[in-house]
Amino acid sequence: METAEFLRALETEGRLLAAAAERAGTDARVPTCPRWRVRDLLRHTGAVHRWAASYITERHTERRPLPEPAGPDGAELVAWYRDAHRRLVDALAGAPPSLECWAFLPAPSPLAFWTRRQAHETTVHRFDAESARGGEPTAVAPRFATDGIDELLRGFHARARSRVRTPEPRVLRVRTDDTDAVWTVRLSSGPPVTERGASGEAECELSGPAGELYLALWNRAPLPSVTGDRALAELWRRTSAI
């Protein structure tokens, strides 16, 4: 996907998040994040938006601490979140392709990284807000979801901090059945190593429509389908939280 597509997704998802939060009310519980109410969700996501925007606008080349979530409550908190989202979208839209700043996953450029990362961050938390609102959630487009699965498996879980580990080597397969994307995840006592494609045999396969699989791998929904050793699927559930 192109950076411009991620920017459009970020803009849309942030608006949906705010609308769902406004309808649910800031005191509503968030079923997908049981420790949170909507106010916690808005404060966290708004703080992340402001943190991300600071790299774009101030050109920081080293990591800065994520600020403690703060903000007002009620209708003022929803407005505060909308402002944070607007500032992020505007910062990314106005940044030059040659932007140099800190990023924490491999990407063609820092601008590409931050636009993609914030698009997926906002999509997952939009789903959280819609779970608090109730009713049918907005579907995640298959192509976008496939990209998000790739970011999660080959980006986040390639880092040393991933807790998805096994004492002995194991192989997990992840497969979307509506975009034909496949990943082979090799587990061991070190960080998972993921490659695109179905290389060799796998002991467990997680599969389903890309949108459902995306939410499931972020532990927001049940896994659509598990075949083989279900203990590996349970391992993911227990240890993959970011």
Side-chain angles (χ1 to χ4, degrees):
M1 290 179 63
E2 298 296 326
T3 298
E5 295 176 88
F6 288 119
L7 186 62
R8 288 193 293 271
L10 169 60
E11 181 152 23
T12 298
E13 294 291 341
R15 289 177 176 176
L16 290 172
L17 190 162
E22 187 171 46
R23 185 169 176 183
T26 56
D27 197 45
R29 294 189 179 277
V30 181
T32 50
C33 300
R35 297 182 181 180
W36 276 4
R37 295 182 184 268
V38 168
R39 66 174 57 86
D40 303 306
L41 174 63
L42 289 173
R43 287 171 179 164
H44 166 78
T45 314
V48 170
H49 285 346
R50 282 173 162 80
W51 177 72
S54 73
Y55 289 103
I56 307 303
T57 59
E58 300 170 31
R59 309 295 200 262
H60 298 294
T61 57
E62 295 183 356
R63 189 187 188 281
R64 305 176 74 207
L66 181 65
E68 286 295 319
D73 205 351
E76 290 184 0
L77 178 56
V78 178
W80 177 88
Y81 170 75
R82 284 190 168 116
D83 179 66
H85 173 250
R86 185 73 259 156
R87 291 186 188 197
L88 174 62
V89 170
D90 288 348
L92 290 166
S98 59
L99 172 74
E100 292 293 337
C101 67
W102 180 79
F104 62 86
L105 294 178
S109 70
L111 180 60
F113 163 77
W114 282 111
T115 312
R116 179 197 200 197
R117 175 81 293 275
Q118 286 302 292
H120 288 299
E121 173 90 10
T122 309
T123 299
V124 171
H125 288 316
R126 180 269 299 165
F127 184 81
D128 293 333
E130 290 183 343
S131 79
R133 178 205 64 195
E136 190 69 22
T138 306
V140 182
R143 184 162 170 258
F144 180 81
T146 299
D147 178 84
I149 295 169
D150 194 75
E151 184 204 41
L152 181 64
L153 296 179
R154 298 204 300 152
F156 277 101
H157 286 292
R159 300 187 301 169
R161 66 177 62 186
S162 175
R163 297 183 301 114
V164 184
R165 310 289 177 100
T166 54
E168 301 295 331
R170 309 292 301 275
V171 180
L172 176 69
R173 186 96 72 225
V174 178
R175 184 189 304 271
T176 66
D177 57 21
D178 54 353
T179 68
D180 296 325
V182 185
W183 298 263
T184 299
V185 186
R186 301 188 187 281
L187 305 176
S188 69
S189 59
V193 176
T194 301
E195 58 189 33
R196 295 293 295 263
S199 176
E201 294 191 8
E203 297 157 81
C204 176
E205 180 167 301
L206 314 179
S207 62
E212 295 178 29
L213 198 54
Y214 171 80
L215 294 170
L217 291 171
W218 276 105
N219 292 317
R220 266 29 186 219
L223 286 162
S225 176
V226 179
T227 55
D229 187 351
R230 299 187 70 88
L232 284 182
E234 179 56 30
L235 174 76
W236 183 273
R237 283 289 193 196
R238 291 197 318 271
T239 63
S240 65
I242 301 298

